[in-house]
Amino acid sequence: MENIFVYSSENFYGLIAYNFKTIIPPTYEEILPAFTHHFWGCKNEKWKLHNFENIEINNKQFEEVETFQNGYACVSKNGKTFGFVDRNGNFKIPAHYLKGQHLGNCLFAVGKDIQGKLKYGIIDLKEELILPYLFDEIPTFTDVALLLLKRRKPLREWLRL
């Protein structure tokens, strides 16, 4: 949200341009950037995706949201299980993971409870497991690529990346 700023008035938040022109009046409990010309707005402790005309993208609401990364955002409807939505707010990976992050190139780090500990594995858009749940923290795309190089994966696995 370049040249757009979140501002508050009487404990509510809105968006204002660098020239002080109000884009979105302060009617939200919280605002987070989503992607270009879109934002997450929170009212009554529920998040919805909006454009800069303050129009809801769809009527879906979430308890937790993250900023979009490469076209996907990690979200939760109940605050316990997480999945990934596209820029239309539609789930592309169902919400049955413990947190996660889109790493790029259709690879997602997703969390799972493994013997009482949160571990992260790597899946693709079809939810096929690329790397098992062996990471203690969300790895970067570079970490994943280096691990695959160390393991000298066959060409067919690299083509999946």
Side-chain angles (χ1 to χ4, degrees), residues 15 29 38 49 89 101 130 158:
L15 296 176
E29 296 162 5
H38 290 76
L49 186 60
Q101 185 174 341
I130 304 297
W158 276 106

Side-chain angles (χ1 to χ4, degrees), residues 40-58:
W40 290 108
C42 183
K43 286 186 178 179
N44 300 318
E45 299 181 7
K46 296 293 181 186
W47 292 91
K48 290 186 178 184
L49 186 60
H50 297 81
N51 63 22
F52 277 9
E53 284 81 44
N54 210 13
I55 298 170
E56 290 178 18
I57 298 308
N58 60 32

Side-chain angles (χ1 to χ4, degrees), residues 43-87:
K43 286 186 178 179
N44 300 318
E45 299 181 7
K46 296 293 181 186
W47 292 91
K48 290 186 178 184
L49 186 60
H50 297 81
N51 63 22
F52 277 9
E53 284 81 44
N54 210 13
I55 298 170
E56 290 178 18
I57 298 308
N58 60 32
N59 200 25
K60 295 179 182 174
Q61 58 185 21
F62 305 99
E63 195 165 311
E64 288 189 43
V65 298
E66 296 288 333
T67 299
F68 281 78
Q69 294 180 12
N70 303 311
Y72 300 95
C74 185
V75 300
S76 175
K77 286 187 162 227
N78 60 16
K80 297 175 185 172
T81 56
F82 294 79
F84 293 87
V85 295
D86 62 14
R87 290 182 174 190

Side-chain angles (χ1 to χ4, degrees), residues 2-161:
E2 192 174 316
N3 297 323
I4 306 294
F5 304 95
V6 177
Y7 76 104
S8 68
S9 176
E10 299 179 20
N11 295 323
F12 286 97
Y13 295 87
L15 296 176
I16 193 167
Y18 71 97
N19 61 0
F20 301 107
K21 178 183 175 203
T22 297
I23 296 172
I24 304 295
T27 58
Y28 293 95
E29 296 162 5
E30 280 186 81
I31 288 181
L32 288 175
F35 57 93
T36 307
H37 302 294
H38 290 76
F39 68 96
W40 290 108
C42 183
K43 286 186 178 179
N44 300 318
E45 299 181 7
K46 296 293 181 186
W47 292 91
K48 290 186 178 184
L49 186 60
H50 297 81
N51 63 22
F52 277 9
E53 284 81 44
N54 210 13
I55 298 170
E56 290 178 18
I57 298 308
N58 60 32
N59 200 25
K60 295 179 182 174
Q61 58 185 21
F62 305 99
E63 195 165 311
E64 288 189 43
V65 298
E66 296 288 333
T67 299
F68 281 78
Q69 294 180 12
N70 303 311
Y72 300 95
C74 185
V75 300
S76 175
K77 286 187 162 227
N78 60 16
K80 297 175 185 172
T81 56
F82 294 79
F84 293 87
V85 295
D86 62 14
R87 290 182 174 190
N88 293 319
N90 299 315
F91 275 99
K92 292 300 179 183
I93 294 181
H96 51 254
Y97 297 99
L98 304 175
K99 286 281 187 183
Q101 185 174 341
H102 182 232
L103 301 177
N105 209 18
C106 295
L107 292 179
F108 300 83
V110 292
K112 187 176 183 181
D113 186 323
I114 305 290
Q115 298 175 344
K117 293 184 179 179
L118 177 60
K119 295 287 190 174
Y120 293 94
I122 308 302
I123 64 170
D124 63 14
L125 260 176
K126 296 177 185 173
E127 292 188 84
E128 291 183 28
L129 193 61
I130 304 297
L131 286 173
Y133 295 89
L134 51 91
F135 299 96
D136 292 327
E137 298 177 354
I138 294 174
T140 65
F141 184 82
T142 302
D143 293 335
V144 171
L146 288 174
L147 184 59
L148 290 172
L149 278 172
K150 279 184 184 176
R151 291 182 173 187
R152 299 177 188 234
K153 293 290 182 181
L155 180 60
R156 71 181 184 297
E157 183 136 357
W158 276 106
L159 293 175
R160 290 170 64 180
L161 294 177

